[in-house]
Amino acid sequence: MINVGLLGCGTVGSGVVELLDKNLGIISRRTGDVIELKRVVDQDLDKCRALGIKESKLSRNFDDILYDDEIDIVVELIGGIEPALTFIMKAMEHGKHVVTANKDLIAEKGKELFDMAQTHKVDFYFEASVAGGIPIIYPLKQSLAGNQIQEVIGILNGTTNYILSKMSEEGRAFADVLREAQELGYAEADPTADIEGLDAGRKIAILASIAFNSRVTVDDVYVEGISKITLNDIKFARELGYVIKLLAVAKQGEDGSIQARVHPAFLPRKHPLAAVNDVYNAVFVRGDAVGEIMHYGQGAGKLPTASSVLGDIIDIGRNILYKANGRISCTCYEDKKILDVSQLRAQFYIRMTVKDQPGVLAGIAGVFGSNNVSLATVLQTTYGGEMAELILITHQVEERDLNDSLVVLRGMPLVGNIDNVIRLEGMDKI
Ligand code: HSE
């Protein structure tokens, strides 16, 4: 029997209990032995009782898992840094294998956790930490291990994808859709980490580390959220053949340098990620052998996330039976250079309000030109007043050159405001 100790009876914990109960037969047969939920620890035991877990299995004390030598696998589903970090470290010190869905922990404390797992030759699996039910960590570590991965681009946050989809489909403003997402339970009461891109930033840090075999922490990721996106931006994107998505992008250059960033982006309508709407997530991967692949599905939720947790438990169960634990340890064996976003080249969309009078366009084009910023598209819309809205798309430019231009433009009396600046991504799909 493979004995499991579960930490946490929240949404994902309850999904694990339900799925294990429902599919125990096939899960055990696929593993090669019975998977038994031996102990469940939570501070609020009523939550666990509501799942029908036997009273004899319940405890408020993590030591009841830690000092039970029969427990092989600890499943941490309490989230946050502490006490999850201490519990996981202690579990590994006691020779227990660990499964977690905790992206904050992996993104911030990955090195410490993998070192501990390696020292104690235990398995440490975390498929559910990125994109919930979508298998992506295992594919990157195993199925795609024969490839040089060139890029990983994800829609990794369901809340923001829902908001942008609804703004685009229904022409509703950001604040209005956010309120609805909160009422529907898609967005948290405090949605800052989702809206401002931090949640996706943690997830792409994890994927970049695995894809490029070099540690990328959340502090290495440039992060920008969606709160500045307006219906005007969405309208112009559509007119020009794009959709706006919050993308989490990790790329490796030919010299091995890495870039990792999260920001709203103009994505060509033909890009596979452009069709990913509502709360769905997807991860697009380009490898030198496999070419382009895309993984699509539910990035959060009780049973989709439990599906990933159970997959990890089964894999560790198989390793235990074949005495093969520690088979896949830390894959960050290199120390690659991580580029600052100002060093990157991209195409940009710029929406600005300018005085509608002769010579304005020439003046603005001159500022861009003298900073090495070449323009690809210029659109002007007038609303009948003395100001006009100017939409510009640049060719590939260095981000620092663009920023230098914008500093000059902001100081020009003819320029009312630089309303938004958004990067273009996936341009090979035009
Ligand atoms: N809050 C996340 C999202 C799910 O909206 O996708 C958990 O990572």
Side-chain angles (χ1 to χ4, degrees):
M1 194 174 284
I2 309 289
N3 284 304
V4 172
L6 172 66
L7 270 168
C9 290
T11 306
V12 183
S14 69
V16 169
V17 173
E18 185 182 324
L19 192 57
L20 198 49
D21 189 41
K22 177 169 177 276
N23 290 345
L24 185 63
I26 54 166
I27 286 171
S28 298
R29 216 165 316 138
R30 284 172 181 163
T31 309
D33 204 346
V34 174
I35 304 274
E36 167 77 6
L37 194 58
K38 187 161 189 243
R39 178 77 63 195
V40 180
V41 169
D42 199 307
Q43 289 313 300
D44 179 0
L45 290 183
D46 285 343
K47 274 196 307 193
C48 307
R49 289 188 185 106
L51 305 175
I53 300 166
K54 277 195 217 144
E55 199 63 32
S56 60
K57 294 186 175 186
L58 300 181
S59 169
R60 284 197 186 81
N61 190 350
F62 175 63
D63 286 354
D64 290 334
I65 289 180
L66 191 63
Y67 295 107
D68 183 339
D69 289 339
E70 289 184 350
I71 291 182
D72 309 286
I73 305 173
V74 175
V75 178
E76 182 276 307
L77 298 174
I78 48 182
I81 301 294
E82 284 296 354
L85 177 63
T86 303
F87 288 167
I88 291 178
M89 291 297 222
K90 282 187 176 171
M92 293 199 282
E93 271 171 2
H94 280 73
K96 299 188 190 302
H97 311 288
V98 173
V99 175
T100 180
N102 193 329
K103 62 179 173 297
D104 306 17
L105 206 50
I106 312 283
E108 285 177 33
K109 304 286 176 189
K111 182 169 181 353
E112 292 90 317
L113 290 160
F114 288 111
D115 285 351
M116 185 64 92
Q118 210 148 359
T119 304
H120 295 278
K121 297 190 171 50
V122 294
D123 286 337
F124 178 57
Y125 284 19
F126 49 95
E127 182 65 66
S129 67
V130 177
I134 304 176
I136 184 63
I137 290 170
Y138 187 88
L140 281 174
K141 285 194 171 188
Q142 301 254 97
S143 328
L144 297 170
N147 286 257
Q148 299 257 16
I149 303 295
Q150 292 150 342
E151 67 179 25
V152 178
I153 307 183
I155 293 178
L156 297 177
N157 184 266
T159 306
T160 45
N161 203 39
Y162 179 83
I163 293 172
L164 291 173
S165 299
K166 292 289 163 200
M167 286 174 73
S168 173
E169 288 160 13
E170 298 174 10
R172 289 160 57 203
F174 171 80
D176 179 26
V177 184
L178 171 59
R179 205 173 318 110
E180 181 196 69
Q182 284 171 313
E183 279 160 17
L184 290 171
Y186 294 153
E188 311 273 342
D190 177 1
T192 317
D194 291 320
I195 299 301
E196 296 305 340
L198 188 60
D199 176 76
R202 291 184 177 125
K203 292 168 180 168
I204 199 67
I206 296 171
L207 295 186
S209 303
I210 297 167
F212 307 134
N213 303 107
S214 186
R215 176 130 350 262
V216 177
T217 70
V218 66
D219 296 332
D220 298 319
V221 181
Y222 169 81
V223 171
E224 191 186 307
I226 65 161
S227 52
K228 285 190 296 188
I229 302 294
T230 67
L231 288 174
N232 261 3
D233 298 316
I234 288 176
K235 181 187 85 175
F236 286 120
R238 184 179 297 129
E239 280 175 17
L240 294 164
Y242 302 86
V243 294
I244 299 183
K245 294 287 181 193
L246 183 70
L247 295 184
V249 181
K251 294 189 186 189
Q252 177 169 230
E254 282 182 4
D255 63 351
S257 60
I258 298 173
Q259 46 174 294
R261 48 193 163 91
V262 171
H263 52 75
F266 270 40
L267 188 69
R269 258 203 302 266
K270 286 190 194 145
H271 196 287
L273 285 168
V276 176
N277 286 318
D278 299 325
V279 287
Y280 279 88
N281 282 198
V283 189
F284 175 90
V285 179
R286 191 193 305 274
D288 63 347
V290 76
E292 298 174 352
I293 51 174
M294 192 166 92
H295 303 233
Y296 169 88
Q298 296 184 61
K302 185 168 99 168
L303 287 176
T305 311
S307 159
S308 289
V309 172
L310 255 303
D312 283 352
I313 293 173
I314 291 167
D315 209 25
I316 295 177
R318 290 169 176 157
N319 288 346
I320 292 171
L321 295 175
Y322 284 86
K323 300 193 177 10
N325 298 103
R327 208 165 45 87
I328 313 173
S329 58
C330 184
T331 51
C332 289
Y333 45 76
E334 296 198 50
D335 188 11
K336 293 181 177 164
K337 184 174 166 201
I338 300 171
L339 299 175
D340 185 77
V341 76
S342 66
Q343 298 172 277
L344 304 181
R345 289 178 66 79
Q347 283 189 260
F348 289 86
Y349 152 95
I350 303 151
R351 180 166 61 83
M352 55 203 290
T353 311
V354 297
K355 289 226 170 99
D356 193 5
Q357 62 188 53
V360 172
L361 202 51
I364 290 168
V367 173
F368 282 122
S370 58
N371 284 287
N372 287 324
V373 174
S374 169
L375 299 175
T377 307
V378 180
L379 279 181
Q380 185 184 311
T381 311
T382 48
Y383 297 103
E386 66 170 28
M387 304 303 278
E389 194 164 45
L390 205 55
I391 307 300
L392 308 168
I393 305 259
T394 71
H395 284 295
Q396 282 260 345
V397 297
E398 288 219 7
E399 184 142 348
R400 73 181 120 215
D401 287 338
L402 182 87
N403 289 336
D404 289 348
S405 320
L406 296 179
V407 168
V408 179
L409 288 170
R410 280 195 184 95
M412 284 169 69
L414 297 172
V415 175
N417 198 24
I418 311 277
D419 298 300
N420 219 341
V421 179
I422 302 174
R423 294 167 186 79
L424 275 59
E425 189 57 63
M427 294 303 287
D428 54 332
K429 295 283 175 250
I430 283 277

